Amino acid sequence: MVKALCFVIIASVAMPAMAAADEDADTEKAINPKEIIFEHLLDGYGWEVPFNHHKRIPLPVIVWAGDGLHCFSSARLEHGASYDDNGHTFVIAGAGSKYKGKVVEIVNGQEVCPIDISITKNVCALFITIFLVGGLMIWLARYLKHHPNKAPRKGLGAIEACVTFVYDGVVKPILGKSASKFAPYLMTVFFFILTMNLLGLVVIFPGGANLTGNIAVTLVLSICTFVATNLFAKKHYWKEIFWPDVPIWLKCPIPIMQVIEVFGMFTKPAALTVRLFANMMGGHMIVITLTLLIFIFSAISPVAGGGATVISLIFSIFMLLIDVLVSFIQAYVFTMLSTIFIGIAQEHHDEEQHESVGKKIEDALV
């Protein structure tokens, strides 16, 4: 595993650096780190080809403009080219446009943004993640069905270990009797986030998409937790929000505590969104920045570029290994917090039959 990661980093960092060193000084272009970083982190209509920044794997562009639906390959719009489809002219908006990076229609010399439902890089990566997670879970379920008394080995054994670790260590201790009800969602969230995180660390297709570094993706996952928490909440949960156990002057006639509790309902998914997004986006930005140092120092002198290559390579490998660990941690933390939020909404007053959620959380963390 480590050897493979080292090879990928060496190939993706050293080879472009050597190619850049061979270019003539008069043909070199000034490097714009900000543009390069955001181009790699943001979504796109094509999938970058390794070691060739000017070629991309085309993806289908699907837009609704004017009188109907238009479908064509994104290869027709590469390098600023325009495409005419039955009298409709489409281009990808440039740097000076308010629709920068989006497919727009040119109408009377003006850019008009159509309804865009294209299969972009992030959308394609989501489909790949869904098929991977679904395939792995079906594979594990079939193995356990046909070998109920035999533990799986190698990769399948690692998947089963993750399932046992999350379910027995987090979901079951916190939710108790409600664990089987919410386990399908929580386990799906864990493996979905973990797979997206790991695929984002791979520099070649089908990896490379920064899904969990996209705040729209993390927001949707957080909204799912928000819905699961409040849709299946018990009466005691709503009672604590609209009539909490505090002195009467804090909730009547001015509903101070009610406002705070309702506000807290929305800060929880917001915290989940930002936590996952910021951690994964930060890791990608650090690795890309370390890679860019090679080109920045190479523009100064070949000696400085050679030294920067060695240092950047070492730190990039280190950060990539850290990101692998962070990928597991962030998937675990998101699942644990989601379980805690759902567990709070499932809490009962019956002390004889149900433990408090606080005690379960403490046991799970220990």
Side-chain angles (χ1 to χ4, degrees):
M1 177 65 178
V2 175
K3 291 181 179 179
L5 292 174
C6 293
F7 173 77
V8 170
I9 288 294
I10 291 171
S12 60
V13 173
M15 289 181 64
M18 290 185 291
D22 292 336
E23 294 181 355
D24 295 331
D26 57 342
T27 61
E28 289 181 351
K29 295 182 179 180
I31 294 176
N32 187 339
K34 179 180 177 181
E35 180 180 349
I36 294 175
I37 289 173
F38 282 99
E39 183 177 353
H40 282 79
L41 294 180
L42 299 180
D43 201 2
Y45 292 95
W47 214 299
E48 292 83 0
V49 176
F51 319 129
N52 193 328
H53 187 67
H54 301 287
K55 292 185 178 180
R56 295 190 175 191
I57 301 173
L59 296 172
V61 175
I62 307 172
V63 294
W64 181 277
D67 56 353
L69 196 66
H70 300 266
C71 304
F72 51 91
S73 172
S74 63
R76 299 180 182 274
L77 302 178
E78 287 184 350
H79 309 302
S82 61
Y83 175 65
D84 184 78
D85 185 23
N86 296 326
H88 296 267
T89 303
F90 299 97
V91 298
I92 295 180
S97 172
K98 63 179 179 180
Y99 304 118
K100 178 183 177 182
K102 301 292 184 181
V103 171
V104 295
E105 182 185 5
I106 304 300
V107 180
N108 297 326
Q110 301 293 323
E111 293 181 348
V112 178
C113 189
I115 299 175
D116 193 347
I117 53 174
S118 303
I119 307 298
T120 62
K121 181 172 72 172
N122 282 353
V123 175
C124 184
L126 280 172
F127 289 150
I128 293 172
T129 303
I130 291 171
F131 285 123
L132 280 176
V133 173
L136 290 174
M137 293 303 105
I138 292 173
W139 182 26
L140 177 61
R142 287 183 175 179
Y143 181 90
L144 294 177
K145 180 180 179 180
H146 292 93
H147 307 86
N149 299 319
K150 184 179 179 181
R153 302 178 62 185
K154 298 183 179 180
L156 199 59
I159 297 173
E160 187 197 32
C162 289
V163 172
T164 304
F165 176 73
V166 175
Y167 182 76
D168 292 342
V170 177
V171 178
K172 192 173 181 179
I174 294 177
L175 295 180
K177 294 182 179 180
S178 300
S180 58
K181 180 179 180 180
F182 295 98
Y185 165 68
L186 294 170
M187 299 304 300
T188 300
V189 165
F190 173 79
F191 282 101
F192 192 63
I193 294 176
L194 177 60
T195 304
M196 287 192 295
N197 290 346
L198 295 178
L199 281 178
L201 300 179
V202 182
V203 298
I204 59 176
F205 182 85
N210 185 33
L211 285 177
T212 45
N214 186 324
I215 197 167
V217 175
T218 59
L219 177 61
V220 170
L221 293 174
S222 300
I223 290 175
C224 291
T225 295
F226 175 80
V227 171
T229 300
N230 294 280
L231 185 62
F232 301 100
K234 303 296 184 180
K235 293 180 180 179
H236 175 68
Y237 172 77
W238 295 111
K239 184 262 179 188
E240 287 297 320
I241 290 178
F242 294 108
W243 198 256
D245 294 328
V246 295
I248 191 67
W249 59 271
L250 288 175
K251 52 188 178 182
C252 184
I254 301 176
I256 299 175
M257 289 304 300
Q258 287 91 329
V259 172
I260 294 175
E261 292 292 342
V262 171
F263 182 73
M265 290 172 56
F266 296 95
T267 57
K268 292 173 183 175
L272 286 176
T273 300
V274 176
R275 179 190 295 272
L276 180 58
F277 160 75
N279 279 281
M280 300 313 300
M281 171 71 83
H284 285 278
M285 290 187 68
I286 291 174
V287 174
I288 295 174
T289 302
L290 288 171
T291 304
L292 286 175
L293 289 177
I294 298 174
F295 300 95
I296 294 173
F297 281 98
S298 295
I300 300 174
S301 73
V303 177
T309 300
V310 176
I311 296 174
S312 296
L313 181 61
I314 294 172
F315 279 99
S316 294
I317 294 174
F318 174 75
M319 284 305 305
L320 186 60
L321 294 175
I322 292 295
D323 278 344
V324 172
L325 177 61
V326 170
S327 297
F328 282 90
I329 292 175
Q330 291 305 315
Y332 176 80
V333 169
F334 191 100
T335 305
M336 183 181 68
L337 292 177
S338 297
T339 307
I340 291 172
F341 297 154
I342 293 172
I344 291 173
Q346 298 296 309
E347 186 180 14
H348 292 267
H349 269 312
D350 190 351
E351 297 291 344
E352 294 182 358
Q353 297 183 4
H354 301 274
E355 298 177 22
S356 68
V357 171
K359 175 63 169 137
K360 295 178 182 178
I361 295 171
E362 181 182 350
D363 293 341
L365 293 177
V366 171

